[in-house]
Amino acid sequence: MTTVRTVQLPEVTLAYRESGRPDGPPLVLLHALGERAADWDVVLPELAPDHHVYALDLRGHGDSGRTAEYGLERMRGDVLAFLDALGLARVDLVGHSMGGAVAHLLAQAAPERVDRLVLEEIPALYPRPASVPSEGAEEPAHFDWAMVRALKAQFDDPDPAWREGLTRITARTLAVAGGAASYVPQERIAELARLIPDCRLVTIEAGHLVHSARPAEYVAGVAPFLAV
């Protein structure tokens, strides 16, 4: 059974979906840019049947609040505030794309809060040609275009400290790559896996949307890593 809840944090109200075993170890799921917590439903509960799962709508997404300021560091702060608000001292953390970037920034800043870390198709931590995201005629109900523009600018010109900080991650880590069909340079994901001290790399030929395109293969690759 999944319960939809909200929590008031210092900067924003976050919505989240709670499921799994109430007495299980906590698992926090962070979605990609433009997605929302329900994006994980395709791999739940098979992904972590023994965990107490919290799937978040990050700020500017889904039913969470829209704010004047956006950025990966602010999202990282929101997740840390969420852990504090719910009394979650140490968690397993899974992030896809943008959510994975937030996850590894959290694991760098507060390594004592993360036990196991899964990073699915992380954006490359190097500058790339800038482009302006196209907008629909009307703002979609499930995300804020101002957030998209702010995060896109960060991914186009990432802070070098994000890459340097990967060596500070102490969590056992699994990096999931989408293979040749992904637009993320696969050699950059391999580099990320080499920089994180305790990291294993697995490739699932699915493109960027690994867990939604190949849910059974994703579960087969990730569930044993998260097994209690």
Side-chain angles (χ1 to χ4, degrees):
M1 178 179 177
T2 298
T3 303
V4 179
R5 305 183 188 276
T6 61
V7 59
Q8 181 61 53
L9 303 179
E11 292 192 7
V12 67
T13 299
L14 283 194
Y16 64 99
R17 295 163 67 88
E18 187 174 357
S19 61
R21 288 181 50 182
D23 61 344
L27 170 66
V28 175
L29 306 178
L30 306 179
H31 59 76
L33 180 67
E35 295 290 349
R36 58 194 309 173
D39 179 61
W40 294 104
D41 287 354
V42 68
V43 292
L44 292 176
E46 292 84 0
L47 181 63
D50 295 320
H51 280 70
H52 190 162
V53 181
Y54 304 87
L56 277 58
D57 282 348
L58 293 167
R59 71 163 66 194
H61 293 81
D63 295 322
S64 289
R66 276 54 173 159
T67 59
E69 300 290 337
Y70 290 108
L72 293 172
E73 295 90 345
R74 290 185 179 275
M75 290 179 174
R76 173 188 63 192
D78 294 340
V79 178
L80 281 169
F82 175 86
L83 301 185
D84 290 342
L86 272 68
L88 304 175
R90 189 172 175 87
V91 302
D92 292 335
L93 187 59
V94 176
H96 175 216
S97 195
M98 178 198 74
V102 175
H104 75 65
L105 289 179
L106 190 154
Q108 295 177 29
E112 73 283 359
R113 307 299 294 270
V114 183
D115 185 13
R116 286 172 288 196
L117 178 65
V118 178
L119 304 174
E120 176 189 348
E121 276 285 299
I122 303 304
L125 297 174
Y126 289 88
R128 65 186 187 186
S131 62
V132 178
S134 58
E135 300 185 18
E138 298 179 359
E139 179 185 323
H142 64 282
F143 66 83
D144 183 353
W145 275 111
M147 176 276 304
V148 174
R149 291 190 293 271
L151 271 292
K152 178 74 165 54
Q154 284 196 301
F155 288 133
D156 289 344
D157 187 21
D159 187 338
W162 301 345
R163 185 172 66 253
E164 296 162 4
L166 294 173
T167 60
R168 297 197 299 271
I169 294 175
T170 59
R172 292 170 288 168
T173 304
L174 179 67
V176 180
S182 172
Y183 67 80
V184 177
Q186 298 296 284
E187 67 274 12
R188 295 306 190 193
I189 298 178
E191 179 189 23
L192 174 141
R194 289 193 298 270
L195 290 172
I196 296 174
D198 184 5
C199 184
R200 180 167 60 89
L201 173 65
V202 60
T203 297
I204 299 172
E205 294 292 342
H208 186 59
L209 307 178
V210 183
H211 73 266
S212 57
R214 297 283 189 272
E217 293 175 44
Y218 182 85
V219 168
V222 176
F225 178 76
L226 294 173
V228 175

